[in-house]
Amino acid sequence: MYVLGLETSCDETGVAIYHSEKGLINHLLYSQIDMHSEYGGVVPELASRDHIRKLVPLIKQCINEAGLTSRDIGGIAYTAGPGLMGALLVGAATANSLAWAWRKPAIAVHHMEGHLLAPMLENDPPSFPFLALLISGGHTMLVEVKGIGRYRLLGESLDDAAGEAFDKTAKMLGLGYPGGPKLSELAKRGSPRFKFPRPMTDRPGLDFSFSGLKTYTMNALHDTAQSDQDKADIAFAFQTAVAETLSIKCKRALQQTRLTTLVVAGGVSANSTIRQSLTEMADKERALIYFPRPEFCTDNGAMIAYAGCQRLMADQHQGSVIFARARWPIEELPPV
Amino acid sequence: MQIKLRNTEATEAFGAELSRLLPHKCLIFLKGQLGAGKTTLVRGLLRAFGHQGAVKSPTYTLVEEYMSNGRAVIHFDLYRLSDPEELEWIGINDYLDQDAVCLIEWPEMGEGFLPEPDLVLTLSVVGQERNLKVETSNLSVKNFLSSVIKQRHTAIL
């Protein structure tokens, strides 16, 4: 079965086609980052207006490039949450309209489930069960994955998400948006001059907190002359603190769950310092570590098409209701 | 009226004390630069209402709603708004009409589209400490805060 996947939860419009036996057929992405960088962040109303403009042409292009027609599509998967409501509704309304017109089932997909399952798109996918670390602009969570739809939340950020901390710290250092990649560029010129705290690693538990690190960065910055080198050293200290904190928590989670496979996904997992720190930790713990390729780490339609395909193959779909939720706990999903 | 908050714990404690005097429905503006402690103050308030889970900064989601022990709290962060008119699109009036404590971070970004607040809290950074400026025309709030200042904090003005 060919499944069309639509992703519109934030600032990327993603469309993909996944086939239950043949795998990923095609995927396209339109990013709104240039538009939002003028404003210093994702602007919800602009995001949904741009999804409206881009989504249908992208769907047409995706089907045409694959050499298919709308009759070949067996189901439509779309991101129903969590995310920006206006943006989600564009995908939800489009998916359900196509489902009615084509008389095919639609399936609501949880955005974070898409990220969790993204490594399944690779030729050498991890096998269940595994530990997943999801790190993005809006989320930081550790999840035990026993199978599709069988998730246990082990820990999450109690305040800022890791990517959000990167963005806000970058803003304090006078860098643009998105700040994360620029901050790691700056950190390359930094030296280990400051020692930042590793938040919440001195107490048990698997939750994260990055808000205090942001404040620590601000205080450190105010204590310097704020030269380029000062900023580079602070960026270095901040990035090292985040990378080590994530590694400490992942190590603890591997030990507690006795799992031997770690999957790292979400936009922040593209950060090379974080990748290196987690890889070294996994090697020491003799755990296998998987990173989806960068284009599947950030938001994309392929992961939504994959997750939707698994659910449609298990005969799950929704009735004729347009369903979207800005907040949607991942543990509420039904198993497959 | 100004209050000195020595550390994060003091900011949370102030939020908790504030929770005791708020009516079911009120509007509070929270001002201050990144890292000043706006979300920390909201966390203290929510914890005092009995909320157990995480209190996330709503920077990416714009709004987070909480309900604990029959008290509704709506936490906004308008940091990423580019035009106050976008408040109409997120249905701001539907939120503000509710019987809830509404806390708005970065209200400057929504100027012209937000009603007058009952209370304005401005946090400023002084080294490791925070200065909290409280502005309100509500007499009972004023009196309560004066007593809080006398009891627990060092008033600097």
Side-chain angles (χ1 to χ4, degrees):
Chain A
M1 174 169 52
Y2 287 104
V3 175
L4 180 69
L6 312 180
E7 156 64 36
T8 64
S9 67
C10 191
D11 55 359
E12 321 270 2
T13 316
V15 176
I17 298 168
Y18 185 88
H19 187 272
S20 48
E21 278 85 46
K22 297 177 202 162
L24 187 63
I25 305 295
N26 193 17
H27 81 107
L28 299 171
L29 190 71
Y30 171 79
S31 174
Q32 303 179 5
I33 282 177
D34 285 348
M35 177 176 76
H36 294 298
S37 60
E38 288 174 37
Y39 297 96
V42 183
V43 183
E45 178 41 29
L46 286 182
S48 48
R49 256 185 285 186
D50 218 42
H51 286 307
I52 290 172
R53 245 194 327 257
K54 293 294 181 286
L55 188 55
V56 172
L58 268 183
I59 293 170
K60 282 184 178 160
Q61 189 187 342
C62 194
I63 293 174
N64 287 341
E65 281 181 7
L68 303 171
T69 71
S70 58
R71 281 192 204 92
D72 298 311
I73 304 296
I76 301 115
Y78 68 95
T79 305
L84 302 169
M85 203 45 172
L88 290 170
L89 281 172
V90 176
T94 307
N96 282 286
S97 307
L98 291 176
W100 292 328
W102 295 346
R103 296 172 195 277
K104 295 288 160 55
I107 178 82
V109 173
H110 191 289
H111 182 72
M112 303 315 286
E113 174 172 66
H115 277 303
L116 281 178
L117 300 178
M120 297 302 189
L121 291 161
E122 304 293 353
N123 290 327
D124 174 28
S127 43
F128 298 118
F130 57 76
L131 175 70
L133 171 70
L134 293 177
I135 34 177
S136 67
H139 302 271
T140 303
M141 49 170 79
L142 270 169
V143 185
E144 181 180 7
V145 181
K146 290 182 187 147
I148 294 169
R150 296 171 64 206
Y151 310 123
R152 186 160 70 97
L153 185 63
L154 301 172
E156 63 179 332
S157 178
L158 301 178
D159 39 57
D160 293 358
E164 183 178 359
F166 265 92
D167 282 346
K168 286 184 174 173
T169 302
K171 185 124 187 167
M172 284 178 195
L173 295 174
L175 308 169
Y177 175 88
K182 286 180 179 140
L183 190 143
S184 41
E185 267 311 298
L186 182 63
K188 283 184 189 157
R189 288 186 274 122
S191 56
R193 176 174 137 206
F194 299 100
K195 173 84 175 164
F196 280 24
R198 287 15 177 181
M200 298 189 68
T201 52
D202 56 346
R203 56 184 111 165
L206 296 169
D207 285 331
F208 302 91
S209 166
F210 291 111
S211 170
L213 204 52
K214 175 184 72 189
T215 310
Y216 195 92
T217 303
M218 186 181 62
N219 291 334
L221 185 64
H222 286 175
D223 289 343
T224 68
Q226 307 194 14
S227 69
D228 287 350
Q229 192 56 47
D230 291 332
K231 289 181 180 175
D233 292 344
I234 285 170
F236 179 90
F238 170 83
Q239 181 170 261
T240 310
V242 173
E244 281 189 20
T245 303
L246 293 171
S247 293
I248 292 167
K249 293 284 177 171
C250 285
K251 178 180 170 183
R252 197 177 286 175
L254 284 169
Q255 290 173 347
Q256 281 182 14
T257 56
R258 296 178 188 277
L259 292 168
T260 53
T261 305
L262 173 63
V263 165
V264 186
V268 180
S269 66
N271 179 293
S272 57
T273 304
I274 291 174
R275 278 191 178 220
Q276 193 189 340
S277 172
L278 288 168
T279 305
E280 283 168 12
M281 180 280 299
D283 287 349
K284 275 188 203 146
E285 293 297 304
R286 298 182 183 194
L288 294 169
I289 187 162
Y290 291 82
F291 296 95
R293 74 185 91 155
E295 60 195 296
F296 296 150
C297 279
T298 49
D299 293 351
N300 64 84
M303 64 184 194
I304 301 304
Y306 173 82
C309 183
Q310 306 313 307
R311 293 195 175 276
L312 287 168
M313 294 299 286
D315 238 12
Q316 292 182 7
H317 54 83
Q318 65 202 86
S320 51
V321 184
I322 296 180
F323 172 80
R325 275 180 78 173
R327 292 174 85 182
W328 187 7
I330 197 167
E331 290 177 305
E332 286 181 14
L333 296 178
V336 168
Chain B
M1 204 171 358
Q2 299 208 29
I3 298 171
K4 192 185 276 183
L5 300 167
R6 293 196 182 284
N7 49 32
T8 309
E9 288 72 28
T11 305
E12 271 199 45
F14 179 84
E17 285 167 83
L18 186 64
S19 73
R20 301 210 315 250
L21 82 152
L22 294 177
H24 276 255
K25 180 172 163 54
C26 60
L27 178 62
I28 301 170
F29 285 180
L30 287 156
K31 297 182 178 179
Q33 66 187 94
L34 278 177
K38 301 180 294 295
T39 301
T40 304
L41 196 151
V42 174
R43 182 176 309 116
L45 187 142
L46 279 161
R47 291 263 182 277
F49 276 149
H51 173 72
Q52 306 270 329
V55 178
K56 289 175 195 172
S57 151
T59 309
Y60 279 75
T61 50
L62 285 176
V63 55
E64 292 282 341
E65 290 179 75
Y66 301 88
M67 176 66 84
S68 56
N69 299 328
R71 295 293 298 262
V73 177
I74 308 177
H75 183 195
F76 295 87
D77 185 339
L78 308 186
Y79 183 64
R80 298 184 307 116
L81 228 54
S82 69
D83 188 327
E85 197 182 349
E86 287 170 359
L87 284 173
E88 295 280 313
W89 291 88
I90 67 169
I92 187 80
N93 290 321
D94 294 339
Y95 285 110
L96 299 183
D97 283 348
Q98 290 179 44
D99 210 11
V101 174
C102 290
L103 297 139
I104 304 187
E105 297 190 26
W106 299 97
E108 302 90 331
M109 310 296 282
E111 226 160 58
F113 279 81
L114 293 172
E116 277 296 303
D118 299 299
L119 186 62
V120 180
L121 303 173
T122 308
L123 285 152
S124 48
V125 179
V126 188
Q128 304 289 324
E129 298 181 347
R130 298 291 182 268
N131 220 352
L132 175 68
K133 190 166 89 180
V134 183
E135 295 163 280
T136 178
S137 51
N138 183 317
L139 258 185
S140 65
V141 173
K142 251 185 194 162
N143 291 337
F144 184 89
L145 288 174
S146 305
S147 69
V148 166
I149 290 168
K150 276 184 198 131
Q151 281 166 24
R152 310 204 181 187
H153 300 282
T154 321
I156 56 170
L157 271 181

